[in-house]
Amino acid sequence: MFIAGIVSEALLYSCFSLLIGSFILSLLPKTLRPEIKIPKSVLLGAALGIAIFSFLPVLKIVLYLYEDLGIGYTLTSVLTNFEVGKTWISTGIISLILFIYLIPIKLEQKPLFSLTGLIFTLILVTSLGWSSHAASLSKFAGFLIHTAHFLAITTWVGILMVVSWFSQNHDHWLKFLKWFSPVAILCFVTTTITGISLMTFHMELNDYVSISAISYGQTLLIKHIAILPLLAFAFINSFLIRKRLINDPSYNPLPWAKLESIIVLVVFSITGALGQVSPPHELSSMIRAGGASKLFSFFHPGEITFPITFSPGIVSITLFLIAFLFLALVIVTFIKKAPKALALVSSLLFILSGYIGFMLSIS
């Protein structure tokens, strides 16, 4: 179920991203973007995927309770009495309506088609925010922050995914970057601010290092480290690509955009893993109940003494330097026109060495 949760949540993010990116790009004049052709099957699959992949939290509750009550009664009870079940019913209905709506239309025919699809998708985003863990802790504030966080991510990533995988050419790429770069920056800033706010629902920020003792903290740490290679690719695709296109208009930027979208999928998968582990409440009691994370125990066997402190030594500092050399290598790969696979491998090595460096820095 843990793996299924990771996969389903990553795919749920991807489905929302594909729909939002498709609708936004279809609303724009063709002079502000490359020619894009999105297969109808992708749009229909994304609409249906939202209903399917958002069902997993309901399924987890049903599987936890059904042995005593029976599968049919438990499912009915969860769907009608639990907030997550009632929210999924509305999500499933709206997703089905969107699916049916998309069958006969062609987005390129009328802007109204894309605008209507975008409205349906935004309703689904708010539905997801209403059933989020943050909303259960602080209904209105949690709902607003989670919704803004999710919408910022899926807008940025959605436009990137659609334009990188479904563009027929790279015409008007400089004009595309002129508006997309500030949009991406705005989305990233919004994601950062709301992400920090969401963290405060579960933990004190000054407990960040101590939280690494449990699975939630380990996953959060890996996610934050993985964001840095994504920023390196964003820098390449926003600024360095622009300079290269000015000097060489025939240069094809699509392969690098695709690489950035692959890193996005890695981050989505880590986010999916984060959703499968319990957030911290009383840290010491969680350690007593479930023990430290296996990853944490691998680096720090034995009894844990709180608070855990961050005090890098010569080995960890060396690993941090190596990590940032790998990050720099991503940019050097682009500048020197080296094989693009080197950039992807360097990103993964940055995550690995940065993580090990952090773990060896705590005591």
Side-chain angles (χ1 to χ4, degrees):
M1 185 58 71
F2 182 78
I3 300 299
I6 295 175
V7 173
S8 66
E9 194 155 338
L11 290 174
L12 181 64
Y13 270 67
S14 299
C15 289
F16 272 104
S17 298
L18 285 169
L19 288 174
I20 291 175
S22 299
F23 295 139
I24 290 175
L25 287 166
S26 298
L27 283 169
L28 292 171
K30 293 183 178 180
T31 55
L32 295 180
R33 57 173 174 81
E35 182 184 349
I36 295 172
K37 186 176 180 181
I38 308 164
K40 179 62 68 69
S41 59
V42 171
L43 295 173
L44 294 176
L48 198 59
I50 290 175
I52 295 171
F53 301 126
S54 62
F55 183 73
L56 190 71
V58 177
L59 180 62
K60 287 171 70 174
I61 297 175
V62 171
L63 293 177
Y64 182 75
L65 299 174
Y66 85 98
E67 289 186 359
D68 295 328
L69 303 173
I71 190 73
Y73 178 82
T74 305
L75 178 60
T76 303
S77 178
V78 171
L79 290 176
T80 55
N81 297 318
F82 287 63
E83 188 66 40
V84 66
K86 291 185 284 187
T87 302
W88 181 82
I89 291 176
S90 61
T91 298
I93 292 172
I94 298 168
S95 298
L96 184 59
I97 293 172
L98 179 58
F99 178 85
I100 295 170
Y101 168 77
L102 289 170
I103 291 174
I105 69 167
K106 293 183 178 180
L107 295 182
E108 63 272 14
Q109 287 183 340
K110 291 183 180 180
L112 181 62
F113 292 159
S114 296
L115 181 60
T116 304
L118 183 60
I119 291 171
F120 274 122
T121 310
L122 293 178
I123 294 172
L124 288 167
V125 170
T126 58
S127 178
L128 194 72
W130 190 253
S131 65
S132 66
H133 186 65
S136 69
L137 297 173
S138 177
K139 201 64 184 178
F140 191 65
F143 161 71
L144 285 180
I145 294 171
H146 185 277
T147 300
H149 184 75
F150 188 82
L151 186 59
I153 292 173
T154 49
T155 298
W156 170 27
V157 172
I159 295 171
L160 172 67
M161 290 176 68
V162 172
V163 82
S164 60
W165 291 99
F166 301 111
S167 291
Q168 304 300 296
N169 52 49
H170 58 276
D171 295 348
H172 313 300
W173 199 267
L174 286 174
K175 291 183 179 180
F176 164 72
L177 288 178
K178 189 174 182 180
W179 66 263
F180 177 62
S181 294
V183 167
I185 291 171
L186 176 62
C187 287
F188 176 75
V189 171
T190 302
T191 301
T192 302
I193 294 172
T194 54
I196 293 172
S197 298
L198 287 173
M199 285 171 59
T200 62
F201 281 97
H202 307 303
M203 55 183 277
E204 295 291 334
L205 294 181
N206 56 10
D207 286 338
Y208 186 91
V209 176
S210 293
I211 294 297
S212 66
I214 61 176
S215 296
Y216 180 90
Q218 286 284 303
T219 312
L220 188 66
L221 170 63
I222 295 170
K223 177 183 175 180
H224 289 162
I225 294 173
I227 289 173
L228 292 178
L230 180 59
L231 294 180
F233 278 97
F235 173 74
I236 291 171
N237 285 314
S238 295
F239 299 101
L240 299 185
I241 286 283
R242 180 184 285 113
K243 291 183 179 181
R244 183 159 292 181
L245 280 170
I246 291 173
N247 295 326
D248 181 11
S250 65
Y251 180 78
N252 183 7
L254 289 174
W256 279 96
K258 289 178 180 178
L259 281 177
E260 184 178 350
S261 69
I262 291 172
I263 298 297
V264 166
L265 290 176
V266 172
V267 176
F268 276 0
S269 299
I270 299 171
T271 303
L274 191 63
Q276 308 310 305
V277 292
S278 300
H281 295 291
E282 180 60 39
L283 183 60
S284 57
S285 63
M286 290 190 70
I287 293 293
R288 287 194 297 270
S293 160
K294 290 181 179 179
L295 277 173
F296 184 90
S297 297
F298 176 80
F299 290 96
H300 300 281
E303 187 177 349
I304 302 171
T305 303
F306 292 103
I308 299 172
T309 58
F310 184 77
S311 52
I314 186 64
V315 175
S316 54
I317 291 174
T318 302
L319 282 167
F320 286 141
L321 290 174
I322 292 171
F324 280 100
L325 285 175
F326 282 129
L327 195 62
L329 188 58
V330 174
I331 297 174
V332 171
T333 300
F334 173 81
I335 294 172
K336 296 298 184 180
K337 301 180 181 180
K340 297 173 183 63
L342 179 61
L344 190 59
V345 172
S346 297
S347 298
L348 298 177
L349 289 174
F350 166 81
I351 295 171
L352 179 62
S353 52
Y355 169 77
I356 296 174
F358 185 95
M359 293 305 298
L360 293 182
S361 297
I362 59 180
S363 60

